[in-house]
Amino acid sequence: MKTIRQLSARRAGGSTKAQAGRPASRLGWLDALRGVAALVVALHHFDVLKMLPDRMAAFIWWHADLGLYGVMLFFLVSGYIIPASLERRGDMRQFWIGRFFRLWPPIVFGIVVALAIIPKGDGSVALFATDHDLVYLAANSTMLQDFMGVWNGLGVMWTLSYEMVFYYMVTALFAIGQHRRSGPLAVGFAAVALLFGTSIASHTLTHDVASTRNLVWGSVLIVVFAFACILSGRQNLVRTGAITLGLLGFVLMYNNSRAPMYQTLMIFATMFAGTVLYRAEHRQIDRLQAVLCCGFVIAAGVAVAWMYNRDGMEQNTWTAGWRAWAGSYLAAWITFGIGMALRKRRFPKPLTWLGAISFSLYLLHVPLVHTLQHLLEVPKVPPTTGGKVIWTVEYLAVIMLASWLMYRLVELPVQKLGKKVSKAVDRRWPVVDPLVVAAAPVGATAAASDRTEPPVPVEVGAGGAGGPGHRGH
């Protein structure tokens, strides 16, 4: 009988541990959202609307933009999870080593693959296509190229510039202990977008080759200095490096955005609104504050579209007009809301699998569609319905297989390597006077602050684009 009780206790303990460990594992709903975002972006660049009946395609075209929908959904996911990832670690050096191994190796691999397979004369890869290759390489290596007046190495990498500036801002806020002020930041960005949507000029720092070159090399020097400070592990230097990154990101975003300023500001408002949702869920801020902040950001997105994304400005956002911009933005929020409402349920494995390979899918789909179209000699719009269906299935099958292979053979190994490098760095150069940031909930009720907060979830996927994170995005 005693043995039976011991076995039962062990099983119960094991079950409890397993349940406790689940929140720290990959969150299925976030993976599912990333998968949806990546797939929609891939279909958008596939010109999937041309495969649909004309009336249906026209309705979607005028009321939504699939690309904008996908990247806004990516940005919401990144806003929700990236600050949580930094705070879970509590160590900026570990955070940035992890970011490096999650982003840079897959991007380099994706560019190499694209250069190897794209047809001659194809413009999918901007690197090595100009007389300023070294400047373009330097800009893209920082992932700030979209704010430097430099072409993106891969066209989809523009979202990664927004992700990177967001990381810089989050890092700086963490360093000065203001990382939980997500609500005022989200509202502030949205309010400035409303009031100064087209009044703030884009590309004020880069007028010609010389100014672009100077901005790139100056930024590279600042980034190297800042990361040297962060990697030192010394509290005063870490704080200096983090604040330097935040200031650089803000200056580039505010003065040299390629997109119209209302879209740029709404992207950052959206990411910080995603952080607001995370903080409300974990009782770090009051729920009413979260509702008001996110409600304002959503309303501002629709208003900004109606006020500014018209009369020719829509050409700078690659949308059909204000309805398409507003419809895509609302749809991204609705999708995220549905995912969050169902977060405690188990999501279908195909969706979570799609989320796991989403970063590879995001990087590879454009070179692959161009290469397949060239190799198979497929017309941009097959003349028959059967031809359209077959071409779509072929495209999806190839990009899924290629993305899965890249995820298994590139992303997972380099992520494991990153963890080993992070541990080795900590052993060799221990953190001196670690940066301590107050962890008390901001704006929470006394009752809420007495509760045990759920563990901070680990980040999902490999990117932020994409994410656009990140995508993403």
Side-chain angles (χ1 to χ4, degrees), residues 30-42 66-82 156 159-160 163 166-167 267 270-271 332 336 354-355 357-363 365 461-473:
L30 289 173
D31 264 345
L33 292 179
R34 287 177 60 85
V36 169
L39 182 60
V40 170
V41 171
L66 298 181
L68 182 66
Y69 163 81
V71 298
M72 284 298 181
L73 186 54
F74 268 130
F75 288 139
L76 275 168
V77 172
S78 291
Y80 183 94
I81 203 66
I82 291 301
V156 296
T159 60
L160 299 180
E163 294 269 357
F166 179 66
Y167 300 165
I267 287 174
T270 302
M271 284 196 274
F336 190 87
L354 195 59
I357 67 169
S358 61
F359 191 44
S360 294
L361 179 62
Y362 188 71
L363 293 174
H365 72 271
H470 327 6
R471 347 103 194 333
H473 266 166

Side-chain angles (χ1 to χ4, degrees), residues 107-390:
I107 288 171
V108 171
F109 183 82
I111 291 175
V112 170
V113 169
L115 287 171
I117 67 174
I118 57 173
K120 187 176 181 180
D122 188 279
S124 301
V125 183
L127 294 179
F128 310 112
T130 72
D131 295 328
H132 311 285
D133 291 340
L134 191 58
V135 172
Y136 275 52
L137 279 170
N140 277 272
S141 68
T142 66
M143 266 189 250
L144 298 171
Q145 69 285 340
D146 207 60
F147 293 106
M148 293 180 178
V150 171
W151 289 348
N152 297 282
L154 292 172
V156 296
M157 283 177 60
W158 72 270
T159 60
L160 299 180
S161 292
Y162 284 82
E163 294 269 357
M164 194 57 55
V165 170
F166 179 66
Y167 300 165
Y168 284 4
M169 291 181 182
V170 168
T171 300
L173 291 168
F174 184 79
I176 61 176
Q178 299 299 313
H179 53 295
R180 296 197 177 184
R181 307 296 179 183
S182 313
L185 286 166
V187 170
F189 277 116
V192 175
L194 278 171
L195 296 177
F196 304 100
T198 54
S199 301
I200 303 172
S202 301
H203 279 318
T204 60
L205 301 180
T206 50
H207 309 289
D208 51 27
V209 173
S211 60
T212 301
R213 181 186 63 238
N214 293 340
L215 180 64
V216 169
W217 291 119
S219 299
V220 168
L221 183 59
I222 292 170
V223 168
V224 170
F225 163 77
F227 279 116
C229 290
I230 290 174
L231 293 174
S232 72
R234 297 178 179 271
Q235 179 180 354
N236 59 333
L237 290 177
V238 169
R239 184 175 282 110
T240 298
I243 294 172
T244 300
L245 289 178
L247 290 173
L248 173 64
F250 184 81
V251 168
L252 290 177
M253 177 274 296
Y254 191 80
N255 293 284
N256 215 55
S257 171
R258 175 177 57 87
M261 188 52 66
Y262 61 87
Q263 176 164 292
T264 294
L265 291 169
M266 284 309 305
I267 287 174
F268 287 104
T270 302
M271 284 196 274
F272 278 110
T275 310
V276 168
L277 292 174
Y278 168 79
R279 302 208 183 285
E281 183 189 355
H282 291 82
R283 301 186 182 92
Q284 296 174 5
I285 62 173
D286 185 73
R287 291 288 177 93
L288 179 60
Q289 179 185 347
V291 170
L292 290 174
C293 287
C294 292
F296 177 76
V297 170
I298 294 170
V302 176
V304 158
W306 179 77
M307 294 162 63
Y308 301 116
N309 201 62
R310 58 199 308 165
D311 301 326
M313 284 302 296
E314 67 273 13
Q315 296 177 14
N316 296 314
T317 60
W318 297 278
T319 56
W322 77 266
R323 289 184 180 85
W325 204 103
S328 305
Y329 190 69
L330 282 174
W333 270 97
I334 291 170
T335 305
F336 190 87
I338 292 172
M340 194 170 183
L342 300 176
R343 63 189 180 279
K344 294 181 180 179
R345 299 193 179 187
R346 185 178 297 276
F347 277 72
K349 286 187 177 180
L351 273 182
T352 57
W353 174 81
L354 195 59
I357 67 169
S358 61
F359 191 44
S360 294
L361 179 62
Y362 188 71
L363 293 174
L364 293 179
H365 72 271
V366 172
L368 284 173
V369 69
H370 290 197
T371 302
L372 285 173
Q373 212 159 24
H374 175 74
L375 290 177
L376 302 177
E377 297 182 350
V378 179
K380 288 190 175 181
V381 183
T384 65
T385 301
K388 292 176 181 177
V389 171
I390 292 172

Side-chain angles (χ1 to χ4, degrees), residues 428-457:
R428 180 65 179 83
W429 296 284
V431 175
V432 180
D433 298 327
L435 192 64
V436 178
V437 181
V442 177
T445 63
S449 62
D450 289 338
R451 301 188 190 108
T452 302
E453 290 188 18
V456 176

Side-chain angles (χ1 to χ4, degrees), residues 16-39:
T16 303
K17 289 179 181 178
Q19 290 175 1
R22 278 171 195 157
S25 65
R26 298 175 68 85
L27 296 182
W29 70 281
L30 289 173
D31 264 345
L33 292 179
R34 287 177 60 85
V36 169
L39 182 60

